[in-house]
Amino acid sequence: MDDSSEAYLCINDPNGNCSESHAVLDPVEEEEEEKFRRKLKYFFMNPCDKYTARRRKPWKLILQVLKIAVVTIQLVSFGLSNQMVVQFKEENLMTFRHLFLKNFSRSSANTHAVYTQHDVYTHIAYTVEQFLMLPSITVGNHEYEKSGEVYTPLSICQQFYHNGSLSPANESFHIDTHVDEECSLIYPRQPFSTLTANPLNFTLHFERLLAVTVKFTLKSINLETVQYHELPDCYVFNIMITFDNKPHSGRIGIELDNDVQINECSDWTVTGASARDMYIMVLFD
């Protein structure tokens, strides 16, 4: 469009050729076109240009920056909380290894083993004694799991071939590959005390023995999160100690693993300023 307020229109003839036609806009149309042009130009301006043009504060930009700040704070808070969870689980795993594995050292975590029948019995008895004496030896807040009013027991199970006889000297063997399992349960009772009898109540069949597993469950609460204005979680540790004799090489490897469950504590009370801060954090979330 030129200064004479003329517009050039393209009219197609039947052959598809375009011929120009001059159209004169009246003042009202010209004004509407100019308004639309300014509105379109303003729409594609950045926030700084919009502020320069109309002195209007960029509320949408401020809102986006605020959202980025809130999300960043949430991510950092979640990362710190998750780090505390991972650290608590790893430290408890190391604690259980030191508490329940005899002569355990961190350097021998992957090579902890026994080589004699006497040592196998001794290590199992040590684990059971430590389990029964746990309330008086742990420096954490570990406790036994309860089912009603009864503590859940520690179980000792051995897996072995159903039948078999080996004679390496004669280079002969007869083996039944069906696997049998025998278990013994030991309940903690108050007052907690050490063993006064054989904890196994059965004999290990070393010639056919595949593995001995010691299983028990403990509970704990991670109180560190209180300092970061978060409600503590309740942890359930399902611990399994495995004496692995599958190779029958004369070396029985010992490994402790735990399966961790994290639950919301059913009954809790927090007093002081930290409780108020935790409610504020919940409202912020």
Side-chain angles (χ1 to χ4, degrees), residues 100 102 113-128 156-158 198-200 202-206 209 211-214 241-245 250-254:
F100 301 113
K102 187 177 182 180
V114 291
Y115 299 90
T116 66
Q117 296 182 16
H118 177 266
D119 285 343
V120 174
Y121 285 111
T122 301
H123 277 68
I124 295 176
Y126 177 84
T127 298
V128 175
I156 305 172
C157 298
Q158 62 167 325
N198 178 14
L200 299 181
F202 57 81
T203 302
L204 297 176
H205 309 285
F206 285 100
L209 183 66
V212 177
T213 57
V214 181
I241 302 174
T242 304
F243 295 76
D244 186 7
N245 192 42
R251 177 186 182 274
I252 297 181
I254 305 174

Side-chain angles (χ1 to χ4, degrees), residues 10 43 55 78 91 95 111 125 134 140 155 160 217 248-249 272:
C10 181
F43 179 80
R55 295 296 175 180
F78 174 78
E91 289 183 355
T95 297
T111 59
L134 180 67
S155 67
F160 52 91
T217 301
H248 285 84
S249 62

Side-chain angles (χ1 to χ4, degrees), residues 89 145 217-220 233-238 258-264:
K89 291 164 63 175
E145 183 186 42
T217 301
L218 299 178
K219 288 189 172 183
S220 183
D233 290 319
C234 290
Y235 288 72
V236 180
F237 297 97
N238 298 303
N258 66 342
D259 178 45
V260 184
Q261 299 176 12
I262 304 175
N263 304 318
E264 182 179 346

Side-chain angles (χ1 to χ4, degrees), residues 38-253:
R38 289 197 301 268
K39 185 180 293 186
L40 192 63
K41 181 179 180 181
Y42 181 79
F43 179 80
F44 287 103
M45 284 182 179
N46 59 50
C48 294
D49 292 336
K50 288 182 179 180
Y51 178 77
T52 303
R54 296 188 179 180
R55 295 296 175 180
R56 180 178 297 177
K57 293 182 175 60
W59 297 112
K60 291 183 179 179
L61 176 63
I62 295 174
L63 178 61
Q64 296 301 323
V65 173
L66 181 61
K67 286 166 61 178
I68 292 174
V70 170
V71 172
T72 302
I73 294 173
Q74 292 283 46
L75 288 175
V76 172
S77 176
F78 174 78
L80 293 174
S81 176
N82 192 57
Q83 179 184 3
M84 286 188 290
V85 171
V86 173
Q87 181 179 354
F88 187 74
K89 291 164 63 175
E90 291 180 348
E91 289 183 355
N92 273 275
L93 177 59
M94 188 58 60
T95 297
F96 297 147
R97 287 174 175 171
H98 281 278
L99 282 176
F100 301 113
L101 299 183
K102 187 177 182 180
N103 300 327
F104 177 83
S105 64
R106 191 160 190 167
S107 60
S108 65
N110 298 322
T111 59
H112 198 56
V114 291
Y115 299 90
T116 66
Q117 296 182 16
H118 177 266
D119 285 343
V120 174
Y121 285 111
T122 301
H123 277 68
I124 295 176
Y126 177 84
T127 298
V128 175
E129 286 191 11
Q130 293 290 99
F131 172 76
L132 295 177
M133 293 296 295
L134 180 67
S136 61
I137 62 175
T138 180
V139 296
N141 54 19
H142 304 101
E143 289 189 359
Y144 306 115
E145 183 186 42
K146 267 189 174 182
S147 179
E149 295 299 323
V150 180
Y151 292 111
T152 55
L154 173 147
S155 67
I156 305 172
C157 298
Q158 62 167 325
Q159 296 87 35
F160 52 91
Y161 291 123
H162 177 70
N163 196 6
S165 61
L166 305 176
S167 180
N170 297 328
E171 299 182 356
S172 64
F173 68 91
H174 301 282
I175 196 76
D176 183 347
T177 57
H178 291 89
V179 177
D180 293 337
E181 184 176 57
E182 291 182 0
C183 293
S184 176
L185 301 180
I186 299 176
Y187 289 85
R189 293 182 176 86
Q190 294 180 332
F192 304 107
S193 60
T194 58
L195 293 170
T196 57
N198 178 14
L200 299 181
N201 293 326
F202 57 81
T203 302
L204 297 176
H205 309 285
F206 285 100
E207 188 178 57
R208 296 175 286 147
L209 183 66
L210 293 173
V212 177
T213 57
V214 181
K215 299 179 182 179
F216 53 92
T217 301
L218 299 178
K219 288 189 172 183
S220 183
I221 300 175
N222 184 5
L223 295 178
E224 182 182 7
T225 56
V226 174
Q227 304 300 323
Y228 296 90
H229 315 305
E230 295 183 21
L231 291 176
D233 290 319
C234 290
Y235 288 72
V236 180
F237 297 97
N238 298 303
I239 302 169
M240 182 174 69
I241 302 174
T242 304
F243 295 76
D244 186 7
N245 192 42
K246 293 183 180 67
H248 285 84
S249 62
R251 177 186 182 274
I252 297 181

